[in-house]
Amino acid sequence: MRLLLHACCAPCLIMPHRLLRDEGHEVTVLWYNPNIHPFDEYMKRRRALEVYAERERIPVIYIDEYWMEDWIRKAVAYMERGLPRRRFCYLQRLTRTAREARERGFEAFSTTLLLSKHQDHELVVEAAEIASKMFEIPFLYRDWRPYEEEGLREAKRLSLYRQKYCGCVFSMDERGMALYHKRLYSF
Ligand code: SF4
């Protein structure tokens, strides 16, 4: 099947791509992660993906939209309504993926967000199903969580850049505070 796979970073792409390829799918990757903070971090992750995709000859569509202020405003409005910011984050990335998949003639879409045990798996699935209905294109579900460690080992072996926090400004701050409380923060 011609599949558009949203990828959040290179380390998370390795195993889903291998497994999908082994299933016989024709995979194109979509880079669309407009809330990675700061921009320097965005570029490091994008570059790592580029390096890995070139190495493995994976076609990639890059959508370089980066709108930090707008994202923060919308995420805060979301949280003020008592909704988890992650829901907004997943919906944003996956509705765009579904839209691109539909407009570019793919048969289905999926996301590497299904790999990480740090993500809210059920919320990712819910967002993908909403996106699937909105743009009338199938969402290919796979639970890749058992392969996360293997993917990280492989990323290390290939010396790919590995990020230290999920991505947005809030997750960056949360990591900083966690390190501070564990007295591991270095000034
Ligand atoms: S922590 Fe990660 S999943 Fe949650 S809103 Fe930020 S970037 Fe999105």
Side-chain angles (χ1 to χ4, degrees):
M1 165 190 302
R2 286 193 68 234
L3 183 83
L4 188 63
L5 176 66
H6 164 263
C8 55
C9 63
C12 286
L13 172 63
I14 297 173
M15 293 312 294
H17 177 259
R18 282 186 191 172
L19 293 161
L20 289 168
R21 190 191 51 197
D22 292 350
E23 286 178 33
H25 297 295
E26 198 184 309
V27 180
T28 296
V29 163
L30 181 79
W31 168 264
Y32 175 64
N33 300 292
N35 61 347
I36 296 172
H37 185 84
F39 188 68
D40 185 49
E41 176 72 19
Y42 175 90
M43 289 307 291
K44 280 182 190 158
R45 296 188 196 190
R46 188 193 189 284
R47 180 67 194 139
L49 188 97
E50 225 176 310
V51 167
Y52 183 70
E54 272 168 24
R55 184 182 186 280
E56 297 293 315
R57 298 173 195 270
I58 306 169
V60 185
I61 298 166
Y62 292 97
I63 298 183
D64 281 312
E65 290 176 10
Y66 192 82
W67 31 280
M68 187 50 54
E69 279 184 35
D70 192 45
W71 190 86
I72 293 173
R73 216 176 296 120
K74 285 181 179 153
V76 169
Y78 220 76
M79 289 188 279
E80 282 173 353
R81 284 161 55 206
L83 295 163
R85 69 168 189 261
R86 283 194 159 180
R87 191 169 186 274
F88 169 62
C89 178
Y90 298 154
L91 273 171
Q92 181 193 38
R93 299 195 225 185
L94 298 180
T95 51
R96 184 60 181 264
T97 306
R99 190 183 107 192
E100 295 292 336
R102 172 77 196 216
E103 288 176 359
R104 294 172 190 258
F106 288 90
E107 292 167 88
F109 74 96
S110 194
T111 174
T112 61
L113 292 166
L114 296 167
L115 175 89
S116 172
K117 295 185 191 87
H118 299 291
Q119 299 296 347
D120 186 329
H121 196 83
E122 283 66 39
L123 215 50
V124 173
V125 175
E126 186 197 297
E129 281 169 353
I130 291 171
S132 166
K133 280 199 191 95
M134 271 174 80
F135 293 95
E136 298 177 338
I137 181 153
F139 159 56
L140 185 87
Y141 172 70
R142 293 287 183 272
D143 185 357
W144 289 308
R145 286 174 292 185
Y147 300 96
E148 187 180 14
E149 295 306 319
E150 193 178 339
L152 291 175
R153 275 198 303 276
E154 196 57 4
K156 198 171 179 185
R157 187 182 72 79
L158 296 170
S159 305
L160 288 173
Y161 175 71
R162 282 164 295 140
Q163 62 268 24
K164 295 183 176 58
Y165 55 95
C166 186
C168 69
V169 63
F170 301 105
S171 61
M172 189 181 89
D173 267 13
E174 282 161 4
R175 178 177 180 272
M177 288 311 289
L179 288 180
Y180 178 77
H181 288 302
K182 287 183 197 159
R183 299 184 189 284
L184 292 172
Y185 203 90
S186 54
F187 292 94

